[in-house]
Amino acid sequence: MTWLNSYFQLDKLNTTIKREILAGITTFISMSYILFVNPNVLGAAKMDTGAVFTATALASALGCLLMGFLARYPIATAPALGINAFFSYSVVIGMGVDWQTALAGVFVASLIFLLITIFKLREMIINAIPSDLKYAISSGIGLFIAFLGLHQGGLVVANKSTVVGLGSFTTPTTWLTIFGLLVTTILMIRKVPGAIFIGMFLTAGLGLVTGLIKMPARLISGAPSLAPTFGVAVKHVGEINTPQMWVVVLTFLLVTFFDTAGTLVGLAQQAGFMRNNQMPRVGKALMSDSTAMLAGSIFGTSPVGAYVESSAGIAVGGRSGLTAVVTGICFLAGMLFSPLLTVVTDQVTAPALIIVGVLMAQSLKYVDWGHLEVAVPSFLIVLGMPLTYSISDGMALGLIMYPICMIAAKRGREVHPIMYALFFIFIIFMWVLTVG
């Protein structure tokens, strides 16, 4: 216990081992839904859901342990919502890319991610993107995730006359989504720790009681085998040989950039770690998540990043890396509950996707809507993602328009050279998708 206090500097941070353990468990409860949501989302890409479950748990645990021991921050990591949707719905389903090749794309992006972190280029690239566009990207991903949840839950359906329309309330399973959304929303408003997890639990319980969801054969079992996904990414690296796939790799890279950078800074501000607008030990924090992302691609899951749900642990007093270590241990223990995958249906996970979308959309308040040269590209990003059903397409619309709008406003000199480079990269991106 003395070693823990000394290594994690608990006295200096005015915290205790008991408080850190409670914070770690709280963080895990708040984000444990990813163990079931991620296999559900990646399962749409025809990946083995059992293997994805285990890969998700291992990648999350590794990232948390690295963040705790190396960076000593109370920030947990796991496969990020949004980028997993891009993996399944944009790359595999939308572009027709095999999931094995898409996973290889994650692996290549992870290698680049790790290299630019080591050479400290990551901060430079992140800093080149205007803050307004970063907030727009985060919010756009939130709207995209929420749209997925509304569709999977049966609240929004395809409509030949109006493109989309309201789902049918005569479908029994749709009421599971409505129940879950109402319960989760109330719990979130009441600031109940683990609100999303509790909402999923109660929704699944209602489904089991009403017979809309089949009862699993057992609750606990050994972790599913990683064999269907382990190492697949490495074996298919040779298939990253087309302009289309390199655009996919770039998108994995960019989206993970924005998501993780914004989350880390936001959580550091919440916990009071920021010093002169700088985050101490940020290099170690970035190294932790990039290493977890690389390992996760080998295990067989989409990119790993810092989780905003860490704010729940910070809110109950978590201030040291011990919080993240406890969360990591909880993820390892969570591998015993894989049979529950059959209980966590689309209707159970839909409310979680919608609520996370709401949380991410809050970044909209930071966009400078008073200047059209900023508002137009930001708006195209935010609206483009759900309407094109593609995170990358929405990003492209905004990043292409940004330098044009800035030049029109006679502010071209304020645009970073990297943004002009991204302008041409995304022009090529759009050409590859529509012509190539």
Side-chain angles (χ1 to χ4, degrees):
M1 294 300 180
T2 303
W3 176 84
L4 288 176
N5 185 53
S6 175
Y7 184 80
F8 292 110
Q9 300 180 330
L10 303 184
D11 289 338
K12 182 179 178 180
L13 295 168
N14 194 29
T15 185
T16 64
I17 292 176
K18 180 180 179 180
R19 188 180 300 162
E20 294 295 302
I21 291 175
L22 176 62
I25 294 173
T26 300
T27 296
F28 173 73
I29 291 174
S30 297
M31 61 185 291
S32 57
Y33 64 85
I34 194 60
L35 284 172
F36 307 103
V37 174
N38 201 45
N40 186 283
V41 173
L42 297 188
K46 306 301 182 183
M47 291 186 68
D48 184 282
T49 55
V52 173
F53 175 90
T54 302
T56 300
L58 289 175
S60 302
L62 176 62
C64 290
L65 293 174
L66 286 173
M67 190 69 76
F69 282 118
L70 181 62
R72 289 180 292 172
Y73 277 125
I75 298 174
T77 65
L81 278 174
I83 192 67
N84 60 356
F86 169 75
F87 180 101
S88 290
Y89 298 99
S90 295
V91 178
V92 177
I93 297 175
M95 298 181 185
V97 176
D98 292 337
W99 68 262
Q100 295 90 338
T101 307
L103 203 57
V106 176
F107 177 72
V108 173
S110 302
L111 285 176
I112 299 172
F113 206 52
L114 189 59
L115 286 174
I116 62 178
T117 300
I118 292 173
F119 290 104
K120 298 184 177 181
L121 295 175
R122 190 169 164 191
E123 294 94 327
M124 183 182 73
I125 296 174
I126 291 173
N127 290 337
I129 309 295
S131 59
D132 296 274
L133 297 192
K134 290 176 185 174
Y135 291 130
I137 290 168
S138 176
S139 301
I141 293 172
L143 294 186
F144 181 63
I145 290 173
F147 184 68
L148 284 177
L150 290 167
H151 176 63
Q152 292 180 1
L155 290 174
V156 172
V157 297
N159 186 301
K160 291 183 179 179
S161 301
T162 60
V163 184
V164 293
L166 190 64
S168 173
F169 293 125
T170 60
T171 304
T173 52
T174 301
W175 284 99
L176 282 181
T177 302
I178 295 171
F179 171 81
L181 184 58
L182 289 173
V183 169
T184 306
T185 299
I186 293 170
L187 293 174
M188 291 289 288
I189 292 172
R190 300 294 298 175
K191 301 186 185 303
V192 176
I196 293 177
F197 178 81
I198 295 172
M200 289 177 61
F201 178 81
L202 293 176
T203 304
L206 178 63
L208 291 171
V209 169
T210 57
L212 296 175
I213 298 176
K214 293 183 179 180
M215 185 72 70
R218 56 187 183 279
L219 296 179
I220 298 176
S221 73
S225 172
L226 268 182
T229 60
F230 185 78
V232 169
V234 180
K235 296 177 183 177
H236 290 262
V237 167
E239 295 171 14
I240 310 299
N241 56 8
T242 64
Q244 182 188 54
M245 283 311 303
W246 278 109
V247 168
V248 169
V249 169
L250 177 65
T251 305
F252 280 138
L253 196 61
L254 291 176
V255 173
T256 307
F257 261 3
F258 306 137
D259 188 43
T260 298
T263 301
L264 282 175
V265 172
L267 292 173
Q269 288 174 332
Q270 178 192 0
F273 294 134
M274 299 297 285
R275 297 291 181 270
N276 299 320
N277 203 36
Q278 298 292 320
M279 183 178 174
R281 306 186 304 281
V282 65
K284 292 181 178 179
L286 295 174
M287 183 63 69
S288 299
D289 71 13
S290 57
T291 302
M293 179 178 169
L294 179 63
S297 68
I298 296 174
F299 293 150
T301 186
S302 50
V304 173
Y307 254 60
V308 71
E309 283 80 5
S310 302
S311 61
I314 293 173
V316 299
R319 288 296 181 273
S320 79
L322 183 55
T323 292
V325 170
V326 171
T327 303
I329 293 172
C330 288
F331 268 112
L332 292 176
M335 289 193 293
L336 297 175
F337 297 95
S338 62
L340 294 179
L341 278 172
T342 58
V343 175
V344 186
T345 62
D346 283 347
Q347 292 73 32
V348 174
T349 58
L353 295 175
I354 296 167
I355 292 297
V356 170
V358 172
L359 296 176
M360 295 183 73
Q362 291 177 10
S363 295
L364 283 172
K365 62 185 176 184
Y366 298 114
V367 176
D368 181 9
W369 297 107
H371 292 84
L372 282 178
E373 61 269 28
V374 172
V376 171
S378 297
F379 183 77
L380 288 175
I381 289 172
V382 172
L383 197 62
M385 289 185 183
L387 292 189
T388 63
Y389 212 68
S390 169
I391 293 170
S392 56
D393 288 352
M395 284 176 58
L397 291 174
L399 294 182
I400 288 172
M401 281 297 293
Y402 178 71
I404 296 173
C405 291
M406 290 296 284
I407 291 172
K410 298 182 179 180
R411 296 175 59 187
R413 292 183 178 180
E414 298 178 30
V415 179
H416 197 285
I418 290 177
M419 290 302 297
Y420 284 113
L422 290 176
F423 168 82
F424 290 105
I425 288 172
F426 277 101
I427 287 288
I428 297 172
F429 167 79
M430 297 296 280
W431 181 83
V432 169
L433 287 184
T434 59
V435 181

